[in-house]
Amino acid sequence: MPLPSTWPTEVESSRLAADLLAGRATASGEIATTFLVPLTNHLRRRFPSADSAQCETAASDALLKTVQPPIRFDPSQLTLGAFLRMVARRKMATLFARDNRHPKKISLEFVAEPIDHRNHSRDDDVPSWDDPRLTTEAAAFNTTETAVLELMRRGVRKRAAFATIPGLAGVTPNELAAEVKRYKDRIKKRLSRAVGGDK
Amino acid sequence: MNDTSLERMARRASTDPFFLGFRLAEYSRVHELDEATLAGRLGCEAEVLPMIRLCRAARTDPAGFREDVTCVAEKFGLNSRALAEASKLGVVAIRQEHASVEAPGVLLAARDRKDS
């Protein structure tokens, strides 16, 4: 029996949410069958580096958790679909964190400066920024680090660009060069550690 | 992947007393039923079982139990008497499990007899 692969309509979603909140015995089964495939597909798109089994497990975890008391879903805050996507993404982060206990070496070429601006292209097998370990680590950066990382990701090397960053402005060219290098080294180190490399 | 992913999810749910699958698994185990036989007793096709397993288990109070069994039976066109029978067995099993865990006096008495 094929399961629906698209998100339910707003009306259908509201009905399922109402059934869940009313404690209807069939609500959990209906929600599971309605949302399992679209939720799994959402995770696959959102986390392209994750394998299918991880996405399916996270989607199942999210569904099984959401339909059980205590019901944390509040229809005045989010639709049922949006709530499930949020829970499922957190489950994915948990799965990634669990995998991170057994770290594997991942190339950090994606944050390294291009050796030559000409003919530079991104390597396709580098880790994705969908990896929650990277995004979590980057989210903890201060304003200056965030701005430096952004320029690094864009491949910007001109010092003048870095001189506009709050925290790096108003210093001599030599001091700026040293500061930029220090920030870049620190960022690379932190991101490397976040994905389990450079212990 | 659709059906198998739902089956996998239903199997996981069947280890959790919150879900109807838990009671159906207990019923199948006691009566040594395979999927097809269980589906036959409930009056449905075997492919519908994962969806039934993912429903909430019937409440244990008489009115709630009747309402929940009727709700699931009507939704999937099941034999409500058979579904009630399968769910009741689970209720007894869960009560027995809780009794053995929650009644320390029973455990103490058993130990006393063993020690003497």
Side-chain angles (χ1 to χ4, degrees), chain B residues 11-29:
Chain B
R11 270 199 298 276
R12 291 179 62 197
S14 297
T15 63
D16 186 336
F18 174 81
F19 293 98
L20 185 53
F22 181 86
R23 299 189 189 177
L24 295 180
E26 182 70 8
Y27 180 76
S28 296
R29 188 182 63 77

Side-chain angles (χ1 to χ4, degrees), chain A residues 114-127:
Chain A
I115 295 169
D116 186 344
H117 257 321
R118 294 165 298 176
N119 301 325
H120 174 68
S121 62
R122 278 191 60 161
D123 193 349
D124 282 335
D125 64 354
V126 298

Side-chain angles (χ1 to χ4, degrees), chain A residues 123-136:
Chain A
D123 193 349
D124 282 335
D125 64 354
V126 298
S128 162
W129 276 92
D130 286 332
D131 187 332
R133 294 172 298 179
L134 288 181
T135 49
T136 302

